[in-house]
């Protein structure tokens, strides 16, 4: 169960907490946007995410890679969620 910390007046960054494990992540505004998209639409193609991100950042590939490495993104294999291994080439 993911929860957002209250926002800060001095920063556009956000803190996201996992209420079950106690883990937390500091996310950029673009990172928060991706997580919010995925909370609203859990299954979305990587290319669609990159297309949406293109309007706000040229670093979309890196951002998705960082979110995957942090364990915040999963892939789908045969219809089942699968964690993406760190360093996975985005074309695989």
């Amino acid at each position: 169960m993911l929860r957002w910390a209250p926002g800060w007046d001095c920063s556009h960054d956000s803190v996201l907490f996992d209420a079950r494990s106690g883990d937390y992540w500091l996310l950029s505004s673009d990172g928060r946007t991706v997580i919010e998209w995925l909370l609203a639409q859990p299954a979305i193609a990587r290319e669609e995410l990159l297309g949406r991100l293109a309007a706000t950042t040229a670093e979309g590939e890196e951002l998705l890679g960082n979110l995957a490495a942090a364990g915040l993104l999963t892939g789908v294999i045969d219809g089942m969620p699968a964690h993406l291994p760190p360093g996975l080439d985005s074309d695989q």
Side-chain angles (χ1 to χ4, degrees), residues 4-85:
W4 295 104
W8 300 305
D9 292 335
C10 63
S11 177
H12 294 290
D13 294 342
S14 298
V15 175
L16 178 65
F17 291 95
D18 182 333
R20 290 177 284 188
S21 70
D23 291 342
Y24 64 93
W25 302 268
L26 178 63
L27 299 175
S28 66
S29 60
D30 289 332
R32 180 178 180 134
T33 297
V34 170
I35 298 302
E36 288 175 337
W37 287 337
L38 293 171
L39 289 171
Q41 181 183 354
I44 186 171
R46 180 180 148 281
E47 292 306 319
E48 184 176 343
L49 274 176
L50 288 172
R52 289 181 184 183
L53 282 169
T56 61
T57 182
E59 310 287 326
E61 291 274 359
E62 183 179 355
L63 176 60
L64 294 184
N66 289 338
L67 292 172
L72 290 169
L73 295 183
T74 58
V76 176
I77 299 173
D78 294 331
M80 299 297 294
H83 286 282
L84 302 173

